[in-house]
Amino acid sequence: MRIESVVAHEVAMPLVRPFRTSFGVETTRHVILLEVTTDEGVGWGECVSSENPLYSHEFNAAALLVLRDHIIPRVLGRELSPEDVPGLIGPVRGHPMARGALEMGILDAHLRHVGQSFASYFGSNKDIIDCGVSVGIPVDDDIDTLVNEVQSYVDAGYRRVKLKIQPGWDIEPTRVIREMLPGMPLQVDANQAYSRDSIDHLCALDEFDLLLIEQPIHEEDYLGHKLLAEKMRTPVCLDESVLSADNAESLIDYGACEIVNIKAGRVGGYMSAKKIHDMALGRGIPVWCGGMEETGVGRAANVAIASLPGFTLPGDTSASARFYSLDVTEPFVMEDGRLRVPDEPGLGRTPIPDVLTQLTVERTPLS
Ligand code: NPG
């Protein structure tokens, strides 16, 4: 196939409620969608960077620049297959979310052309997956707000709850939700908010029978996570620290984590995500699919990858309505706490032209 042009559509997606994590509060998510035109047809990719470099070093303005000046020129006009893309754009260091978005768009175009779904391409063995939900820290710091929000997700059918935590918002909120939902699969996510000094404090979470604690300490502090994993009964899961299959294997071998959160954008795309999955499956390490408040485009790819056999824990694969009252594609709607894995060619979701126009704040040709 040959890549003919790439256009970035920046959409502004108002959130149904503010999403607060240990690194900030978001009320509108700005997402870059890539429209990739090839001689086989059009494909769509989603870049999961944010407006500001707070979750990771990547941010939207930088993603556009690196795509336009460094990544896209490596594939534009070339005869290639989607499997060549990671190698062709791999020499560009860093910027995995930008690389992953382009790879997704190229793969979507190709799979649509050949009539194969994302899920089937990657080796899915399920047509439906369990849904988890990620619950932010209430902007009013009020435990009743958290209780009400969690209850609304339970009523909607979610099968696993993840609480965002940070120093000052950890043990008590987790206790309250565990008492409210004694049998619910429950986990917490700190987004690097703690340090090695907090190991004894974090061990107080052990009494709540959590599935895992996610990225408690800084992403570069492998020893801190190892020391925590040695002391804490709750399994330690890494998110931000995990960048590739080799680095994930190193982290596992070293003892820094017992579970891996796979976010395709963070690791440079779905092909890299699949490699991490295969490595983890071979070593008996559970993985689950993280979320980045994706629109229907990225959500479709997440739901597909989450249907692979190694994804044994429910992911942040929630319904579109968890974040957006208006999604840019046909929304993902939960049935009995589950989502159907798209089996249509490619992603199985594409932006609805009128809605895309309505939500777009900037359209930038990148080639
Ligand atoms: O369900 O899509 C979702 C969101 C899950 O909590 C979630 N994502 O730290 O993992 C995270 C967080 C996030 C979202 C981080 C957007 C960065 C951007």
Side-chain angles (χ1 to χ4, degrees), residues 19 55 134 162 164 189 191 239 263 291-293 316 323:
F19 189 51
Y55 165 81
S134 173
K162 156 167 142 181
K164 291 290 190 180
D189 180 10
N191 289 110
D239 172 13
K263 279 182 185 161
M292 298 287 282
E293 302 163 82
D316 287 339
F323 290 106

Side-chain angles (χ1 to χ4, degrees), residues 4 134 138 263 266 328 348 364:
E4 294 174 348
S134 173
K263 279 182 185 161
R266 199 194 60 232
V328 73
T364 315

Side-chain angles (χ1 to χ4, degrees), residues 286-353:
V287 302
W288 57 282
C289 180
M292 298 287 282
E293 302 163 82
E294 284 85 354
T295 72
V297 174
R299 198 163 295 277
N302 281 351
V303 170
I305 202 90
S307 70
L308 269 59
F311 284 80
T312 50
L313 294 168
D316 287 339
T317 42
S318 43
S320 301
R322 155 67 186 90
F323 290 106
Y324 306 117
S325 52
L326 176 65
D327 203 340
V328 73
T329 65
E330 278 300 310
F332 279 88
V333 178
M334 212 164 46
E335 296 156 32
D336 192 23
R338 297 191 165 110
L339 286 180
R340 189 186 70 77
V341 180
D343 59 2
E344 300 85 358
L347 291 169
R349 287 291 196 284
T350 191
I352 300 163

Side-chain angles (χ1 to χ4, degrees), residues 126 128-134 157-163 183-189 210-212 214 237 259-263 285-291 299 302-303 305-319 334 336-339:
K126 300 177 205 76
I128 195 152
I129 57 156
D130 286 352
C131 294
V133 63
S134 173
Y158 283 100
R159 290 169 177 254
R160 180 278 265 155
V161 172
K162 156 167 142 181
L163 302 179
M184 174 66 88
L186 184 65
Q187 62 194 58
V188 293
D189 180 10
L210 301 177
L211 284 176
L212 57 92
E214 183 182 354
C237 168
I259 296 178
V260 175
N261 168 338
I262 298 184
K263 279 182 185 161
I285 296 288
V287 302
W288 57 282
C289 180
R299 198 163 295 277
N302 281 351
V303 170
I305 202 90
S307 70
L308 269 59
F311 284 80
T312 50
L313 294 168
D316 287 339
T317 42
S318 43
M334 212 164 46
D336 192 23
R338 297 191 165 110
L339 286 180

Side-chain angles (χ1 to χ4, degrees), residues 130-182:
D130 286 352
C131 294
V133 63
S134 173
V135 188
I137 300 164
V139 283
D140 58 6
D141 290 309
D142 187 346
I143 198 86
D144 290 338
T145 308
L146 178 75
V147 165
N148 292 337
E149 186 177 341
V150 170
Q151 188 61 53
S152 73
Y153 297 134
V154 172
D155 295 344
Y158 283 100
R159 290 169 177 254
R160 180 278 265 155
V161 172
K162 156 167 142 181
L163 302 179
K164 291 290 190 180
I165 59 167
Q166 65 180 13
W169 183 269
D170 45 24
I171 313 296
E172 282 318 302
T174 308
R175 181 191 308 285
V176 167
I177 299 303
R178 173 46 85 214
E179 282 169 5
M180 171 182 160
L181 305 170

